[in-house]
Amino acid sequence: MKLLKKWGSVGILSTLMIVTACSSGNTPNNAPNGSASPANGEKVKIEYFQMKSEMVDVVNSLIKDFEAANPNITVEQNNVPNPENVWTMRVSTDDAPSVFTHYPHNPVFQQMTKEGRVVDLTGGPLLANVSQGIVDLSQINGKNYVVPVAVATLGVYYNIDMFNELNLDIPQTYDELIQTAEKIKAAGKTPFYFNDKDANPIRQEVVSRMGLQLTDIEAFLDSVMKGEAHITDNAELKPFAQKLYDLRQYGQQDALGTGYDDALREFANGKSAMWYTGIWAVPTIKESNPNLNFAMFPMPADKAEDTKVQVSVDTALGLPANGKNQASAEKFIEFMTSKESVQKYVDVGGYPSAITGVENNNKQITSLSDLINADKVYPTIERSWPSGVNGDVGKATQEMFATGDIDSYLKALDKIFFNKFNQ
């Protein structure tokens, strides 16, 4: 794969100012205002390495707007296959792009911050417009290395017409969710569609529901990974696993033979009342069946007042340490994270915004966005897991769905997590 060629540098004065700011512990966003633009009208080029292929067109449109307002700065968008691997290779070989997107919960990105390869933006003005709840949950060891733009979450898709036909209300507690499923099943309809053929969606369900329904589970699993506890020491985990298994009785017959694309198609075609997955499915469902009347509600907690949504940062912009043309790169980040730019971005992507004041124009996710705006959020608990653990959790849960053996499942989880940090 060919990497983009290195671009020319800004003038010596601007470069010295940036280096001085970085070496003194200040990030570029704390530099004097005069360093925010190319000196003396000199033209510069910056590379924007962004990881979401479906957003290329809207990003190109935003780049045109930025270049019109900043004629001395040219922005080259770079979107490639396997972007996380490419980014890691480039940063490791001192060929980092000027601006990039990444995920603060990603273990490799976290390691790069520990190695000092990413600019620390903590407390700087670039984060001023980000929701405080999102700022907090995107921290790595108490510091912020990216500016969140949009977030991802999961929820329960539901067929509005089917709910209306059966006079069903949106469940506010987990017990009400089960009661709702019972009523749908009694009416001869399929309450849920599951895509248990794929371990990854199972992992997403397990992680999100653990964070919502188990007490201090992130800290407990950290203690297991340190070798200080065992899975069976947590009395909540066996009932939780039973809930995961029992929910499958409200699904289609061959859930283990159903993949994600099949489940999406069947829900879109009205074959089930509900489907639990991420907000990323909204555009595809609309394409599959433009006439489907659907929306989402949050997976309910045991008590209504405890219901929150898991949030992971889906799009966030950062700067490499000692990157090219950092002053111009910072100015581009300011533009891309402005209220106006983010509004255009999330209107296309359908994601909730991390920036305050941005409207949610995706009516299907209104109930989720309302919780996010109220900072009723929690981070994905897998953010501290070593590489490979999340995949193993998905596979172990898949096996439990096939056998119904809860005790063996807990033993499998213990094998996956125990003493993992010392292996």
Side-chain angles (χ1 to χ4, degrees):
M1 177 181 301
K2 292 183 178 180
L3 300 179
L4 292 180
K5 64 182 180 180
K6 297 184 179 180
W7 312 119
S9 62
V10 293
I12 294 175
L13 178 61
S14 294
T15 303
L16 288 174
M17 291 177 71
I18 296 165
V19 172
T20 301
C22 293
S23 62
S24 66
N26 292 327
T27 60
N29 54 298
N30 291 323
N33 291 335
S35 68
S37 303
N40 301 320
E42 183 178 355
K43 294 183 180 296
V44 300
K45 181 181 285 187
I46 60 175
E47 177 191 352
Y48 178 38
F49 186 94
Q50 75 91 13
M51 299 190 180
K52 299 182 71 63
S53 60
E54 70 274 19
M55 302 303 289
V56 167
D57 289 344
V58 68
V59 167
N60 277 334
S61 175
L62 289 169
I63 287 173
K64 288 181 180 179
D65 293 341
F66 174 79
E67 290 176 337
N70 299 273
N72 293 331
I73 306 175
T74 299
V75 181
E76 181 90 10
Q77 178 181 190
N78 191 10
N79 177 261
V80 299
N82 302 314
E84 293 179 34
N85 293 339
V86 173
W87 180 88
T88 302
M89 178 183 66
R90 293 188 58 184
V91 172
S92 299
T93 57
D94 296 323
D95 184 37
S98 305
V99 183
F100 58 80
T101 63
H102 219 300
Y103 312 100
H105 60 274
N106 180 279
V108 174
F109 180 75
Q110 292 180 10
Q111 181 59 37
M112 290 296 184
T113 66
K114 294 176 184 177
E115 294 178 5
R117 296 181 180 274
V118 182
V119 173
D120 178 1
L121 304 174
T122 309
L126 288 177
L127 291 164
N129 295 327
V130 181
S131 165
Q132 188 59 49
I134 307 301
V135 170
D136 293 343
L137 64 81
S138 63
Q139 289 185 338
I140 300 171
N141 295 324
K143 296 183 178 181
N144 292 96
Y145 295 91
V146 288
V147 184
V149 168
V151 299
T153 187
L154 297 90
V156 182
Y157 287 80
Y158 71 103
N159 185 314
I160 295 175
D161 291 338
M162 193 179 297
F163 265 58
N164 289 340
E165 175 190 344
L166 299 177
N167 295 314
L168 299 173
D169 295 322
I170 303 302
Q172 302 300 308
T173 66
Y174 190 77
D175 284 344
E176 289 181 8
L177 177 69
I178 298 302
Q179 293 166 11
T180 299
E182 288 279 7
K183 293 176 182 178
I184 296 168
K185 189 174 181 180
K189 301 180 183 295
T190 303
F192 278 95
Y193 237 82
F194 296 108
N195 37 258
D196 293 342
K197 181 179 179 180
D198 307 318
N200 187 54
I202 294 174
R203 182 269 303 172
Q204 292 170 341
E205 177 184 354
V206 173
V207 169
S208 63
R209 291 184 59 186
M210 275 186 172
L212 174 67
Q213 297 171 340
L214 296 177
T215 306
D216 296 327
I217 187 61
E218 185 174 16
F220 173 74
L221 291 177
D222 279 348
S223 69
V224 176
M225 288 188 285
K226 292 176 182 176
E228 300 171 352
H230 285 279
I231 288 293
T232 50
D233 294 337
N234 190 324
E236 290 184 313
L237 273 167
K238 187 170 184 177
F240 172 79
Q242 191 69 54
K243 281 183 177 181
L244 289 173
Y245 181 77
D246 289 346
L247 191 63
R248 266 58 196 171
Q249 70 176 290
Y250 301 106
Q252 77 277 21
Q253 286 188 343
D254 188 24
L256 284 166
T258 303
Y260 173 87
D261 291 339
D262 296 327
L264 187 152
R265 182 184 63 252
E266 294 302 285
F267 176 78
N269 290 333
K271 297 296 180 64
S272 74
M274 294 177 284
W275 180 38
Y276 184 61
T277 191
I279 59 173
W280 47 82
V282 171
T284 313
I285 291 173
K286 291 179 178 179
E287 291 174 7
S288 182
N289 184 1
N291 297 318
L292 183 69
N293 188 17
F294 74 99
M296 300 178 72
F297 62 82
M299 173 64 72
D302 290 336
K303 297 179 180 179
E305 59 268 26
D306 294 334
T307 295
K308 301 179 180 180
V309 290
Q310 174 189 281
V311 167
S312 58
V313 176
D314 179 81
T315 302
L317 282 68
L319 297 164
N322 303 316
K324 307 175 185 70
N325 301 318
Q326 282 191 326
S328 297
E330 180 200 357
K331 193 166 190 178
F332 179 67
I333 290 182
E334 290 175 352
F335 173 83
M336 290 295 288
T337 58
S338 68
K339 177 180 174 181
E340 294 76 17
S341 295
V342 174
Q343 187 72 67
K344 294 178 182 178
Y345 186 87
V346 299
D347 282 349
V348 172
Y351 292 92
S353 169
I355 304 299
T356 57
V358 175
E359 299 293 329
N360 167 43
N361 293 321
N362 183 354
K363 64 179 182 179
Q364 281 80 19
I365 66 169
T366 296
S367 63
L368 307 182
S369 290
D370 288 346
L371 289 174
I372 292 171
N373 291 336
D375 281 341
K376 297 199 70 172
V377 298
Y378 61 96
T380 171
I381 64 171
E382 63 183 351
R383 58 183 173 167
S384 64
W385 297 359
S387 179
V389 168
N390 53 5
D392 290 341
V393 169
K395 293 173 184 175
T397 311
Q398 189 178 46
E399 179 68 19
M400 185 263 288
F401 289 157
T403 65
D405 191 337
I406 305 297
D407 290 332
S408 293
Y409 175 55
L410 298 180
K411 291 178 182 177
L413 290 182
D414 194 66
K415 185 177 180 180
I416 292 168
F417 284 101
F418 184 72
N419 211 31
K420 182 62 66 176
F421 287 151
N422 299 317
Q423 295 177 8

